[in-house]
Amino acid sequence: MLFYLQCHLKSHNGNTKTVLKKKKVTTISLYLEPSLYTVKAVLILDNDGERLYAKYYDDTYPTVKEQKAFEKNIFNKTHRTDSEIALLDGLTVVYKSNIDLYFYVIGSSHENELMLMSVLNCLFDSLSQMLRKNVEKRALLENMEGLFLAVDEIVDGGVILESDAQQVVHRVALRVGYLGRKRIKLVLRIIRLTCNLL
């Protein structure tokens, strides 16, 4: 952005001259433009820092190699601490651990930590209800479909859609029920086709 600044210059003979000078100023230094794109990534790692789930919403880490390096770095910085917020590589990271899982929600450095924490709490509470308070690695791996649907209900393209765990669980249950009925219809269709071939 270019701004014009009014400057008063004194010449060597004592006359004052008013001049407009161009000055380039970054938008961040003046004010932060509001944006709906608050979440940069949602991660779930195991006790060893290995990825169980990762969804990146921008190109901060475009390759899988860069993402894995970032995940290893974030795990090394957070797995021994009791705090809930960290600043890492110019990003705000909110996190929570439970038994053998580490949950992370990542936003930019100027992002509101409370907004990111509401996403994290919604995700954790939703999974807790869907897994009947058994939020651990084995139970999560057995219900990855529910995890994918829950994250999609909470965040879409980096935009926070929902922060109420009850609503997320309800919507996931509807979608899983719908997908279950579609699977049953598909299996029945395959059985009919095979019976017709015999």
Side-chain angles (χ1 to χ4, degrees):
M1 281 183 148
L2 283 178
F3 288 91
Y4 291 94
L5 302 174
Q6 188 175 22
C7 299
H8 301 287
L9 302 174
K10 273 193 176 180
S11 64
H12 63 283
N13 62 5
N15 294 338
T16 304
K17 180 178 172 185
T18 303
V19 178
L20 288 178
K21 283 189 159 187
K22 282 193 231 179
K23 173 133 175 118
K24 187 169 183 155
V25 180
T26 62
T27 307
I28 292 176
S29 66
L30 291 177
Y31 62 91
L32 297 174
E33 293 183 17
S35 174
L36 292 175
Y37 300 97
T38 55
V39 178
K40 289 190 173 285
V42 175
L43 308 172
I44 300 176
L45 306 178
D46 66 7
N47 264 347
D48 301 320
E50 296 298 319
R51 175 192 292 192
L52 297 177
Y53 176 83
K55 188 154 190 175
Y56 289 83
Y57 296 104
D58 69 357
D59 293 334
T60 304
Y61 299 100
T63 65
V64 174
K65 185 177 180 182
E66 291 173 328
Q67 291 173 2
K68 293 267 188 171
F70 172 70
E71 291 163 14
K72 204 51 131 170
N73 188 17
I74 202 171
F75 179 76
N76 289 335
K77 299 270 190 214
T78 60
H79 80 282
R80 291 188 186 136
T81 63
D82 289 334
S83 62
E84 297 176 331
I85 300 171
L87 291 173
L88 182 68
D89 295 340
L91 298 170
T92 302
V93 179
V94 294
Y95 58 96
K96 178 183 280 197
S97 66
N98 187 55
I99 304 174
D100 56 354
L101 297 174
Y102 290 84
F103 297 83
Y104 299 91
V105 175
I106 297 147
S108 66
S109 61
H110 62 271
E111 202 53 64
N112 184 338
E113 296 88 0
L114 295 175
M115 292 289 288
L116 297 175
M117 191 57 82
S118 72
V119 171
L120 179 65
N121 288 333
C122 182
L123 174 62
F124 185 82
D125 293 346
S126 300
L127 289 175
S128 181
Q129 288 179 33
M130 290 187 313
L131 300 175
R132 295 180 178 88
K133 303 213 185 282
N134 187 24
V135 183
E136 56 155 355
K137 182 178 178 178
R138 188 178 58 78
L140 185 70
L141 290 174
E142 290 173 358
N143 193 19
M144 288 300 277
E145 181 179 317
L147 168 64
F148 292 139
L149 293 172
V151 172
D152 287 345
E153 288 294 330
I154 298 167
V155 180
D156 183 27
V159 177
I160 300 171
L161 299 177
E162 185 63 67
S163 61
D164 181 11
Q166 292 291 334
Q167 289 294 320
V168 171
V169 170
H170 177 70
R171 290 181 188 146
V172 167
L174 290 175
R175 289 174 69 181
V176 168
Y178 172 73
L179 293 173
R181 287 191 300 276
K182 277 182 91 170
R183 283 190 194 132
I184 291 170
K185 288 179 183 179
L186 179 64
V187 169
L188 289 174
R189 187 179 304 152
I190 291 170
I191 291 172
R192 283 187 202 128
L193 289 173
T194 25
C195 289
N196 289 339
L197 293 174
L198 299 175

